[in-house]
Amino acid sequence: MTSGPPPPSPPAPGAPLPPPPQQAPPGYPPPQQYSAQAYYPQAQPSNGIGITAGVLGIVAVLLMWIPFVNYLAIILGILAIIFGIIGIGRANRMGGAGKGMAITGLVCGIVALAISLLFAIAVYSIVTHVSPG
């Protein structure tokens, strides 16, 4: 015969269940305690204007070398400069998020604008000074 309390009788249908035992039965490890939820850091806010400036500046630098398409590079270069200035200001307010892309857009926009304007002026001067015949 075993000594100890008799096993509990099953509850009546519809009756609430008894609370779980606080100690583990003999031969089982003690119950685990639940820990707090894991901490996941929040993502930094992004600077969409700075990213736009970087993309426009890089595309303008690529297009400035193609004849007759470099006029599009002038427009993209101007937009990259504008977005780059706005993006740098916004990055300074947001703690530096996206400042590198904004600076990239500003620099690439200035380079693309300068070289595209030089090419456009050179092509215009060559075309106007060529005499027919």
Side-chain angles (χ1 to χ4, degrees), residues 10 13 23 43 46 53 75-77 80 82 88 90 94 106 116 130 133:
Q23 294 181 344
S46 64
I75 296 169
L76 294 179
I82 293 169
I88 289 172
R90 189 171 182 191
M94 293 172 43
L106 180 64
S116 294
V130 173

Side-chain angles (χ1 to χ4, degrees), residues 7 12 15 23 36 39 44 46 53 69 74 84 104 120 123 125 128 130:
Q23 294 181 344
Y39 172 74
Q44 281 189 340
S46 64
V69 180
I74 293 172
T104 300
V123 168
S125 66
T128 56
V130 173

Side-chain angles (χ1 to χ4, degrees), residues 35-128:
S35 61
Q37 290 284 340
Y39 172 74
Y40 296 104
Q42 291 183 348
Q44 281 189 340
S46 64
N47 187 353
I49 300 292
I51 293 170
T52 302
V55 170
L56 288 175
I58 292 169
V59 170
V61 166
L62 293 174
L63 292 179
M64 74 182 180
W65 300 108
I66 303 172
F68 303 109
V69 180
N70 64 350
Y71 295 108
L72 182 62
I74 293 172
I75 296 169
L76 294 179
I78 292 170
L79 289 174
I81 292 169
I82 293 169
F83 285 135
I85 292 169
I86 295 170
I88 289 172
R90 189 171 182 191
N92 288 336
R93 287 190 305 273
M94 293 172 43
K99 189 172 185 177
M101 282 297 284
I103 292 172
T104 300
L106 180 64
V107 171
C108 288
I110 291 170
V111 168
L113 180 64
I115 293 176
S116 294
L117 283 175
L118 288 175
F119 281 170
I121 292 169
V123 168
Y124 180 76
S125 66
I126 290 171
V127 169
T128 56

